[in-house]
Amino acid sequence: MESFYSTSVRIIVKGIVQGVGFRPFVYREALRYGITGFVCNTPEGVVIEAHGKHCEQLIKALRENLPVQARIDSMEIEPCESTEYTGFEIRESTLGLGSVAIPLDSALCLACQTEMDDPSNRRYRYSFINCTDCGPRYTIIQTPPYDRVRTSMKHFTMCKQCESEYTNPASRRYHAEPISCPQCGPQLKFLDNKGNEIAGEPIDLAVEMLKAGKIIALKGLGGFHLMCDATSERAVSELRLRKHRKTKPLAVMFGSLEQLETYVSINDVEKSHITGSIKPIVIVDAQSGTNLSPQIAPHIERLGVFLPYTPLHRLLFESIDFPLVATSANISDEPIMIRSSEIINRLSHVVDGILDHDRTIINALDDAVIHIAEGRVVMLRMGRGFAPHTFALSEALSQDILALGAHQKSAIALGVKENMILSPHIGDLGSVEADGYFERTVQTFKRFYDVEPSLLVHDLHPQYASSAYALTQKREHYGIQHHYAHILACMAEYGLDEKVLGFAYDGTGYGEDGSLWGGEVMIADVHAFERIGHLKPFALLGGDKAIKEPRRIALSLLFEIYSLDEVLTLKSPTVEAFLPHEIRTLHHMWVKNINAPRSSSMGRLFDAIASLGGFIQSLDYEGQGGMMMESFVDDSTYEPFEFSVIDGEIDCVPMVKQIMSLGADANAKGLIASRFMATVEAIMRYFADAYPALPIVVGGGVFQNRALMSRLYRHFGEKRFYAQQQTPINDGSIALGQLYYALHNTKEKNER
């Protein structure tokens, strides 16, 4: 390090450095090394002026010893004039709106956990204990900067003891905005499903209901959970019946890691996420023969698990020795509910009681969902602890840009100043509630960053609610092709701007030719793409009905090979799922092209193989077929099925013939699932071998499949192979891809 660093330096730090204990951390390190000067939040980042002979050690500590929730995106260091200071101080902030990354919510930390377990501590068994290392952040912010008066904690006046900690730089609660205690903080209450408060200790009342097999709604960090005894067949079945959720897997919360490990098998990487500072839902391998209700995840040998991440969840488990279903309180893919009034008005038929409190949730935030493939994170839903996700740019944007995302797994992205910000998961659009929450999220982000975007970017699909929103705004806007946006999203996460070989595999996306794409191979950069490969389109018999009934897609593939009479005599799970007259009707539709749109979707091909293999014929939720096949995959099976590629068109008819020759007994299921995954990999290898100089980028919901991603990481992992890990690999990142295109293709950029 150059000699001037040992005397006087000015340091500008950008990233997640507000509301996470960063300034007191700098203060403590400065005292430790005898540094004088100051630290201050400013619109350009955290500014540190340091004087003393150990500045090098301070800079090293900034790089290597950050607070748990802090993240440094950039650090500028320059010499400054030597100034006489008598000590080191934390100066008042001089922040403007949107000048720093939004701090993220985090799980209860060990220090707070130790305090709440200590009978002599004034926060013993306190449901809202927190410090700068843990607790609510984004969920309670009205507008930045993150100061108490701009959060829902402004309604609670600190007692003298809390105020003393809040103003003491040596305390880990220095400027911990949600700071409170039993005397001055939020309070619990327990309500019946009509909203009447029930007398008694709220947690005890909740425990009593759960032990009696009842269903409760519990207010967490970013919304309510619906909870019941996960070992009770009756309770879980009743929850499914009341919520109209037939078979979609339910997440399970365990009281401790020890309890969790008696129900599932986890590796070290999965364990690190389960026990870490975020505690997302992690999908892992379930153990057989446990007392968990089989209705938790029917026909799936995987389980979404997590540990208590708020003090309230933890206190609940002090009196409960069984795992609990903990699923979002919402209605079929709508946003999570954040007010007890919503529960009473819309879910009173589902819950028996409500464990509520009076700390307002301002911004809804679902639990994040991930799984691990070959040691790498696959993000399925970006929520608590991960969102909003801020990417730092190397230079400031010339205009403010709002990307509106897709229709399913909606999220938005904002480009402002030197940042790209991807919002949390919103939900599937198309309902009044979801569309309303989408528009509120847009307003929230505009308010957070004090912008009125001059450019809107949206999907090409004319019927998406997000596209329709763009058309109602009186400002510049344009559409980006859905699958190109998938590739761009991955490129954005890794900061790529070169040409790449992209594989965009998902369920449905609007193609540039107006047809339904979804099995796309492209050469792309940040300016354009060329579609060099795609699945040979096949018919979706009945249109949208085929998306819910894979048997219809599988039948159309059989029609490609066999005559109607031959199909009627086939021994196939697909054929057996229909009556003969239904097959004749669907064949007529196929021949005459009546309500039979064609699609090149890899996701729909997954569904068809799930039908042909006898895994499932009608879906209750998106991706169900692929998840069911995943359980049968043998990683040692590497022989793919046959396919052909002519002028970039991938024909899987040879594969269908081979599947039909295997039959559909239990042994065939494993072979079909394993060889199909190997086939998808082989298709990708075919194109990768043709373009060996290009890095490989993947995106789309198909790549949520752990069995497939594990194979791809094993085969391509040593090469330049890119798959998203920080952001969702599914439609939850479409907005990020749209934004990445826009920031590289503004008028100002093109004129340079």
Side-chain angles (χ1 to χ4, degrees), residues 225 281 306 309 326 328 336 365-369 381-384:
H225 279 140
I281 297 170
F306 58 148
Y309 58 84
S328 300
I336 190 170
L365 190 63
D366 250 309
D367 295 311
V369 183
R381 183 172 73 197
M382 195 170 74
R384 172 183 50 80

Side-chain angles (χ1 to χ4, degrees), residues 235-249:
V236 178
S237 297
E238 187 66 20
L239 175 60
R240 287 199 176 279
L241 180 66
R242 294 182 187 181
K243 199 171 184 253
H244 305 295
R245 184 167 174 165
K246 192 174 179 183
T247 59
K248 189 175 182 180

Side-chain angles (χ1 to χ4, degrees), residues 60-74:
K60 185 178 180 183
L62 294 178
R63 289 182 168 135
E64 300 177 0
N65 193 29
L66 284 175
V68 176
Q69 301 304 322
R71 186 189 81 209
I72 291 179
D73 293 328
S74 67

Side-chain angles (χ1 to χ4, degrees), residues 1 116 127 192 195 206 240 288 314 316 390 396 474 522 629 648 689 727:
M1 185 166 295
M116 70 180 290
S127 303
D192 65 19
R240 287 199 176 279
S288 59
R314 194 167 176 276
L316 200 64
T390 304
K474 296 179 179 178
M522 57 183 68
M629 281 195 288
D689 290 345
T727 54

Side-chain angles (χ1 to χ4, degrees), residues 16 102-104 138 365 382 386-390 421-424 445 448:
I16 299 179
I102 301 297
L104 305 180
Y138 168 74
L365 190 63
M382 195 170 74
F386 293 95
H389 189 92
T390 304
I421 308 104
L422 180 63
S423 82
F445 269 57
F448 272 16

Side-chain angles (χ1 to χ4, degrees), residues 419-450:
N419 294 309
M420 294 189 297
I421 308 104
L422 180 63
S423 82
H425 170 80
I426 292 172
D428 291 354
L429 303 184
S431 68
V432 172
E433 289 75 18
D435 292 356
Y437 182 55
F438 166 81
E439 294 193 25
R440 288 195 299 276
T441 304
V442 170
Q443 295 305 318
T444 295
F445 269 57
K446 286 160 63 173
R447 185 177 71 247
F448 272 16
Y449 292 92
D450 192 27

Side-chain angles (χ1 to χ4, degrees), residues 419-557:
N419 294 309
M420 294 189 297
I421 308 104
L422 180 63
S423 82
H425 170 80
I426 292 172
D428 291 354
L429 303 184
S431 68
V432 172
E433 289 75 18
D435 292 356
Y437 182 55
F438 166 81
E439 294 193 25
R440 288 195 299 276
T441 304
V442 170
Q443 295 305 318
T444 295
F445 269 57
K446 286 160 63 173
R447 185 177 71 247
F448 272 16
Y449 292 92
D450 192 27
V451 295
E452 191 58 55
S454 57
L455 172 63
L456 304 182
V457 197
H458 55 87
D459 195 274
L460 285 180
H461 201 300
Q463 295 177 342
Y464 278 6
S466 51
S467 301
Y469 174 85
L471 299 177
T472 64
Q473 307 301 301
K474 296 179 179 178
R475 65 199 69 188
E476 182 187 359
H477 64 84
Y478 55 77
I480 300 296
Q481 201 281 322
H482 187 91
H483 301 95
Y484 180 35
H486 271 307
I487 301 306
L488 288 164
C490 186
M491 293 174 70
E493 182 169 311
Y494 292 96
L496 302 176
D497 60 5
E498 61 192 294
K499 279 195 183 299
V500 303
L501 177 64
F503 295 90
Y505 291 167
D506 64 4
T508 301
Y510 193 79
E512 287 193 328
D513 57 4
S515 67
L516 301 175
W517 290 7
E520 313 313 309
V521 188
M522 57 183 68
I523 294 176
D525 60 20
V526 294
H527 301 296
F529 75 94
E530 177 189 0
R531 188 189 191 208
I532 62 166
H534 60 87
L535 287 180
K536 182 180 179 181
F538 44 82
L540 305 182
L541 296 174
D544 287 345
K545 273 191 175 182
I547 296 172
K548 291 288 187 181
E549 298 181 33
R551 60 182 186 155
R552 290 171 174 262
I553 307 171
L555 191 64
S556 76
L557 291 174

